[in-house]
Amino acid sequence: MNKPIRVLTAALLAFGCALSAVPAQASVIIAGTRVVFPAKDGEVTVRLTNQSSTPALIEAWIDNGDAQSTPDKVHTPFLITPPLFRMEPNRDQSLRILFTHSDQPLPTDRESVFWLNVLEVPPKPTGAQFQGKNILQMAIRSRLKLFYRPANLAGDPQKAAGELSFKAGPAALVVHNPTAYYVTIGEFTLNAGGTPHKFDGGMVAPGSDLSIAIPAPQQAPRAGDAIQYNCITDFGSVAVLKGTVSS
């Protein structure tokens, strides 16, 4: 939950590369695991570092939640500069993300969430050993959550995770977020009937509920059951909190 999501798909790209479902390791590292965009600032900067000894072609864009998005089809109120560039080996590069005040105003009483995409395409191999051979290369797309945070929101974003409430639902645990901020739960432990059970969490939108399925009857939550949950902070670290299932 606290790591960028690497997306790999089968397709041919410029630079003589392909995207594949085979796991791969990115050479270009993004500073941080999420981006918080304070509206009062008008822009934020994200630092990239190419840890490889070879250059890479980088393309960056922002989507509104579609993992299959491409730069030519997205429509969000943000501009990235530079959107496409060559990144030299062992060098840093900053991406500037600017808010463009689009014709679709964002809510001012709660956060909005988008996704930052960074596509890394390695150069085509050269040299006699590669001539006349079919070569499969990996282009890696990293996706990070981008939270647009309006000015003067009620509450403290650093305390939002501690304000979650929990109640039992039909074969589910229902998590309520009363705050104006998104809260991401990485994992939680439910002490059902004196036995701890671990479950994956999820992201709870401002003023909304998240229903987490509980598959086995013996794991079903009941009023008074203790909960421990891990939440991801603005800085990508993990905060461990506790709660109780209400009636």
Side-chain angles (χ1 to χ4, degrees), residues 7-247:
V7 179
L8 303 171
T9 340
L12 292 177
L13 289 178
F15 234 32
C17 294
L19 293 170
S20 169
V22 179
Q25 180 66 44
S27 297
V28 175
I29 306 303
I30 307 170
T33 59
R34 59 194 48 225
V35 180
V36 176
F37 193 117
K40 61 182 178 60
D41 294 343
E43 68 174 77
V44 295
T45 300
V46 177
R47 191 180 82 251
L48 309 181
T49 301
N50 185 1
Q51 297 184 337
S52 173
S53 59
T54 58
L57 180 67
I58 303 297
E59 187 168 25
W61 70 96
I62 294 172
D63 69 70
N64 57 9
D66 180 8
Q68 305 304 317
S69 68
T70 55
D72 58 319
K73 295 182 179 179
V74 294
H75 180 66
T76 65
F78 297 97
L79 173 70
I80 293 184
T81 179
L84 181 67
F85 57 94
R86 173 189 168 106
M87 193 166 183
E88 299 300 332
N90 302 308
R91 297 289 297 273
D92 293 342
Q93 171 71 46
S94 292
L95 291 176
R96 289 181 65 205
I97 304 175
L98 300 95
F99 185 66
T100 59
H101 302 280
S102 72
D103 54 356
Q104 296 179 339
L106 299 179
T108 58
D109 62 344
R110 61 187 183 277
E111 284 185 330
S112 298
V113 65
F114 298 87
W115 293 80
L116 168 64
N117 298 266
V118 177
L119 178 67
E120 172 193 344
V121 185
K124 185 177 180 179
T126 58
Q129 68 271 34
F130 299 110
Q131 291 182 4
K133 295 182 179 180
N134 292 324
I135 300 170
L136 177 66
Q137 292 179 271
M138 298 299 169
I140 300 177
R141 175 160 61 108
S142 300
R143 299 183 80 228
L144 282 73
K145 295 171 185 173
L146 184 153
F147 299 100
Y148 179 79
R149 183 170 294 170
N152 303 315
L153 284 186
D156 183 346
Q158 307 309 320
K159 297 180 180 179
E163 297 187 38
L164 298 181
S165 62
F166 306 86
K167 65 179 181 180
L173 177 70
V174 180
V175 185
H176 179 66
N177 176 11
T179 77
Y181 305 91
Y182 278 88
V183 177
T184 301
I185 303 174
E187 180 184 73
F188 72 92
T189 301
L190 171 66
N191 193 346
T195 303
H197 303 281
K198 289 190 176 183
F199 301 93
D200 291 332
M203 185 169 64
V204 198
S208 300
D209 293 340
L210 172 68
S211 182
I212 300 174
I214 307 296
Q218 66 270 23
Q219 299 173 350
R222 293 171 293 185
D225 284 348
I227 292 175
Q228 179 173 293
Y229 56 105
N230 301 338
C231 287
I232 314 303
T233 71
D234 280 357
F235 310 103
S237 59
V238 176
V240 181
L241 300 102
K242 295 181 179 181
T244 304
V245 178
S246 63
S247 56

